[in-house]
Amino acid sequence: MFAGCAAGSTFGYSIAVSNNATEPLRQRFALSAAEEGVVVSALTAGALAGCVIAGRVADRFGRRPVLGAAGLLALIGALGAAGAVNMLTLATARLLLGAAVGVTSAVTPMLLAELAPARQRGALVTSYQLAVAAGNLLSLGAGAALSVGDHWRLMFALNALPALAQITATAAIRGPASDRLSAPPTRTGTAAPARPCRPPAAVPWQRRPATIAIGAALMNALVGVGAVVYYSTPVFGIAGVGGWIGAQIATLSVGLVNVLASVLALYLIQRHGRRPLLSLGLGGIILSLVTAGIALLTPASSLTGAITISALLAFMACYAISAGPVAWLLVAEVLPEEGRARTAAMATGLNWAANLMVTLLFPIVVGSPGTPLRVGATLLFFAVLSTGFLLFVRLWVPETRNRPLGELAVPVTAADRTQRHQLSDTTGKELPNDVVKPSP
C-alpha cells in the first residue's frame, strides 16, 4: 500500500502541477496558445510513450523494479522542469516526467490487484486513486501558495518529493510474488505449462475482457477530467470567478473534493458493485457537465461563476467514486494472466492518448484567453461522450466484485460444465468457478 500510494502521489502531483503554472509560464516564455498546449501536453505525450514499453518491461524485469526506475525518471524530470531555461527544455523535462508517469499508471494498479485478496482488491486499488487525488491536491495547494511572484520553478521542484517516496517505497519491498509471473494453477492443483503470449484479438475468449479494459481506460479520460484537472484555473477565470487568485482558490476546492470523494469511494467500492457505482457516477457527471455548459453558454450574470464552480465540484465528486477508481479496477480485474501486462499497458496507452488530445486541443479550441461560449460548448461535448460511456457500462461491463482476477476470460470446457452441473445437482446451487469438489 505504501508503494502504491507513493506511486499514486507521483502521478497525481505530476499531472496537476502545470495547472497553476500556466499563467507564469506564459508570461515568462511568451507562450502562444499552441505553445502552451505543447508544454502542458508534453507530459501526456511522454506518458503515452511510457505505456508503450510498460507491459514488455514489466513482464521481463518484474513490477517492483520497473516502478523504482519510473520513480528515478520522475525525479530527473521534476528537477529538469524546475531548471528549465526555455520552452524546449521545459517540454523535454515534462516529456521525461510523463514517461515515468505512464509506466507508473500502467504497472501500479496491476501490481496491487495481483497482490491483494479478492475482497480487499477494490479498496487497495482505490487507495492508489486516493493517492492520485492527494497528489493533485498537494500540487494545487502548492500552486495556490506560490502563485504570488515568479515561483513556478519551486512548484516543479516539489514534484521531486513524491518521486523520492516512490523510489524509497519500491526499494523497501523485498521480492513480492508478482515480481515474476507464475503459471496459473489448474483445477488439479498443479501449475499449467507456460503458453506463449498472444495478442488479445488472436484469442476469442480474451476479446471481450480486452474490449472492456480498453473501454474503461478511455472512459477514465474522455469524460473530460483532463480539462478540469489541467485547466480548471483558467476555466474558472473565464467564468468570472473573482480574478486569478479567486480562480486558484476554486481550483484548490476541486482538488479537496477529489480527495474527500476518493475517501468515500474506499467505503462504497467495498460494499457496492462496480456497475452500480459507474452508473451512478456517470449519471452525475453528465448532469454536472450539462449544468456547467449551459451556465457558460447563457448570458453572463452574477451567478455564472457560482454555478460553474458548483457543477465542476459535483463533476469531480462523481468522477472520484466512479470513472476515476473503478475504471482502473476494471482494467486490473477483467484481464486474464496471459498477456495481462501488455493488454493493460495498451489500455493505459490509449488512456494517455485520449488525455493527450484533451490537453493539447483544449486551449486551442477554447482560445487563449478563452471565451465562455467555447468552454461551454466543449463541456457539452464531454457530456455527450459521457452518455456513450454510460451506455457502454450498462450493455457491456459485467460485475467483477469479489471474483477472481481474469475470471471473465477463462474458457469453460465441456468437462468443467459437466462437473459444475453435477456439483450443483448435489448442493442445490451453482458453485463459483474457483470451488472444486475434493476427490475421494
Side-chain angles (χ1 to χ4, degrees):
M1 178 174 282
F2 179 36
C5 289
S9 61
T10 301
F11 182 2
Y13 192 101
S14 300
I15 63 175
V17 66
S18 62
N19 197 311
N20 288 298
T22 51
E23 184 63 24
L25 288 174
R26 184 164 51 238
Q27 296 176 3
R28 175 67 176 80
F29 297 123
L31 301 178
S32 65
E35 290 171 335
E36 177 187 344
V38 168
V39 169
V40 174
S41 62
L43 184 136
T44 51
L48 178 57
C51 288
V52 170
I53 66 170
R56 188 176 300 274
V57 297
D59 274 347
R60 182 172 180 179
F61 300 105
R63 318 309 196 216
R64 181 178 59 89
V66 169
L67 272 184
L72 179 60
L73 187 60
L75 177 63
I76 295 171
L79 296 179
V85 295
N86 53 38
M87 173 196 161
L88 180 60
T89 55
L90 178 60
T92 301
R94 284 181 57 77
L95 193 70
L96 294 176
L97 181 60
V101 169
V103 173
T104 297
S105 64
V107 174
T108 307
M110 181 171 54
L111 171 65
L112 297 179
E114 288 172 346
L115 293 179
R119 291 185 178 180
Q120 298 176 359
R121 190 167 58 231
L124 192 59
V125 177
T126 303
S127 69
Y128 164 72
Q129 181 63 32
L130 173 60
V132 174
N136 266 279
L137 181 60
L138 176 63
S139 178
L140 296 174
L146 300 172
S147 60
V148 179
D150 191 21
H151 300 305
W152 60 270
R153 294 186 187 276
L154 185 54
M155 295 182 198
F156 287 113
L158 289 174
N159 204 161
L161 296 179
L164 282 171
Q166 180 172 334
I167 297 170
T168 303
T170 52
I173 300 175
R174 290 292 178 261
S178 60
D179 260 7
R180 290 185 177 91
L181 288 176
S182 57
T186 62
R187 291 185 181 275
T188 61
T190 60
R195 292 178 291 176
C197 183
R198 293 170 290 178
V203 187
W205 48 268
Q206 288 188 10
R207 290 173 185 166
R208 188 185 178 208
T211 301
I212 293 171
I214 291 171
L218 290 175
M219 172 181 64
N220 179 269
L222 292 180
V223 295
V225 68
V228 177
V229 171
Y230 290 98
Y231 296 109
S232 60
T233 301
V235 165
F236 287 139
I238 291 169
V241 180
W244 181 255
I245 299 299
Q248 287 183 324
I249 295 174
T251 294
L252 188 60
S253 67
V254 170
L256 180 60
V257 167
N258 191 12
V259 170
L260 294 177
S262 296
V263 173
L264 177 62
L266 284 171
Y267 170 83
L268 295 176
I269 212 161
Q270 285 293 92
R271 287 160 176 77
H272 302 282
R274 301 356 177 189
R275 278 167 51 87
L277 281 180
L278 281 175
S279 300
L280 176 65
L282 286 171
I285 285 172
I286 295 167
L287 180 60
S288 302
L289 290 171
V290 170
T291 301
I294 292 176
L296 291 168
L297 288 173
T298 54
S301 69
S302 58
L303 295 177
T304 301
I307 294 174
T308 303
I309 291 176
S310 300
L312 292 185
L313 289 177
F315 167 90
M316 186 54 67
C318 293
Y319 178 84
I321 65 169
S322 60
V326 180
W328 295 122
L329 190 54
L330 283 176
V331 172
E333 287 183 330
V334 301
L335 295 175
E337 185 173 16
E338 180 182 355
R340 178 183 297 150
R342 297 189 183 187
T343 308
M346 178 177 65
T348 310
L350 290 173
N351 171 274
W352 281 109
N355 268 300
L356 176 60
M357 288 192 298
V358 172
T359 54
L360 182 61
L361 296 178
F362 185 83
I364 299 175
V365 171
V366 305
S368 182
T371 63
L373 291 178
R374 289 188 175 188
V375 175
T378 303
L379 295 180
L380 290 180
F381 173 72
F382 285 126
V384 173
L385 292 180
S386 301
T387 302
F389 285 118
L390 178 58
L391 294 175
F392 166 75
V393 168
R394 301 307 303 173
L395 297 176
W396 271 80
V397 176
E399 183 53 61
T400 59
R401 180 171 176 252
N402 291 339
R403 295 177 65 179
L405 285 179
E407 184 188 64
L408 177 66
V410 174
V412 180
T413 64
D416 291 332
R417 292 192 186 97
T418 301
Q419 183 186 42
R420 287 167 58 82
H421 178 70
Q422 291 172 346
L423 291 174
S424 64
D425 285 345
T426 303
T427 61
K429 63 180 179 179
E430 188 76 12
L431 295 181
N433 284 338
D434 54 348
V435 176
V436 180
K437 183 180 179 181
S439 57

